[in-house]
Amino acid sequence: KLILYITVLEETINTDIKFKSNGKITVFPDATLIIDNSTLDYCGEVSGKWKGIEADDGAFPPIISINNSEIKDAETGLDIGVVRNIPGRTSPTINITGSNFINNGVHIKAVSYNGESYIFDTDFSYGVGIQLTNSENFTIDNCNFSEQSTAITAFNSAFEVINESKFEDCWIGVISAGTFPLGSSLYIGNQNSGSGNIFDGADVGV
């Protein structure tokens, strides 16, 4: 197995890496991980998966930037729900651009997330898309979701889906639910005038 602990101020991955079943990347507080033009993939048993990327939080949260890369065959592609109950904790900052999440159990999972997350021009295929629980400040911009049971699932969370994001051949496009007094908040539409989001072949759009 391969486990990478990102604890230094900044680490850049710009090569392809294959992980076995218990392999993972953990990004600790006050560290920055940049994944650029890389593929992170699984190389173990045919039916298995590696653990994926997990981001810790804290008083000085980590920053994760994924650019023009592929995250494949992980249990959770990016897990930003690692909470250590630190007073004054802040969640990681996430920026994802021009990337592909393929055949992960869950592509992105966030629990009690209160940082800033911007996902742009990124494709999510197979597996389960984005899961948000008690989270906020998620912007999903011009992304594509295809061949998934559920593209976005949100519980007591706030997020927006903007600017020509597409949901294709998903069983359910977006689920948003909340419990009083918290509730969920979502915006699906355009930042500016122009084309909107597309739901094509979904059994349930929203």
Side-chain angles (χ1 to χ4, degrees):
K1 66 182 181 180
L2 175 63
I3 299 178
L4 300 178
Y5 294 108
I6 310 301
T7 60
V8 297
L9 291 180
E10 183 172 308
E11 181 71 31
T12 299
I13 295 174
N14 53 10
T15 189
D16 296 345
I17 302 177
K18 290 185 177 292
F19 299 82
K20 290 196 173 182
S21 57
N22 289 319
K24 65 178 181 178
I25 297 174
T26 299
V27 188
F28 284 97
D30 206 24
T32 295
L33 172 64
I34 300 171
I35 301 173
D36 196 20
N37 294 303
S38 301
T39 296
L40 307 185
D41 199 358
Y42 176 70
C43 66
E45 298 294 332
V46 173
S47 60
K49 293 184 181 296
W50 63 293
K51 295 291 186 184
I53 303 165
E54 61 180 28
D56 210 339
D57 59 7
F60 301 98
I63 298 171
I64 297 178
S65 179
I66 302 174
N67 308 302
N68 303 312
S69 295
E70 290 188 349
I71 311 297
K72 301 173 61 177
D73 296 321
E75 291 179 7
T76 303
L78 175 60
D79 186 350
I80 46 180
V82 181
V83 179
R84 300 192 183 277
N85 297 317
I86 299 171
R89 58 170 284 272
T90 304
S91 298
T93 297
I94 307 297
N95 289 287
I96 303 173
T97 301
S99 294
N100 292 281
F101 286 72
I102 303 169
N103 197 38
N104 300 298
V106 177
H107 295 306
I108 297 175
K109 180 172 69 174
V111 178
S112 299
Y113 179 84
N114 63 357
E116 293 289 339
S117 183
Y118 182 66
I119 305 169
F120 174 70
D121 191 28
T122 291
D123 293 348
F124 300 88
S125 56
Y126 304 101
V128 175
I130 297 174
Q131 292 184 341
L132 309 176
T133 304
N134 298 324
S135 298
E136 59 184 349
N137 302 330
F138 259 81
T139 299
I140 300 160
D141 184 353
N142 197 36
C143 293
N144 294 318
F145 298 83
S146 62
E147 302 289 346
Q148 295 177 68
S149 57
T150 305
I152 301 173
T153 304
F155 180 73
N156 285 347
S157 297
F159 65 101
E160 58 181 6
V161 183
I162 58 176
N163 297 340
E164 299 188 36
S165 290
K166 185 174 183 179
F167 300 81
E168 186 174 17
D169 295 328
C170 299
W171 180 45
I172 298 176
V174 179
I175 296 177
S176 181
T179 57
F180 182 83
L182 296 176
S184 284
S185 172
L186 71 117
Y187 173 82
I188 300 177
N190 295 316
Q191 265 185 325
N192 303 301
S193 60
S195 299
N197 299 292
I198 298 171
F199 294 83
D200 184 15
D203 287 2
V204 178
V206 180

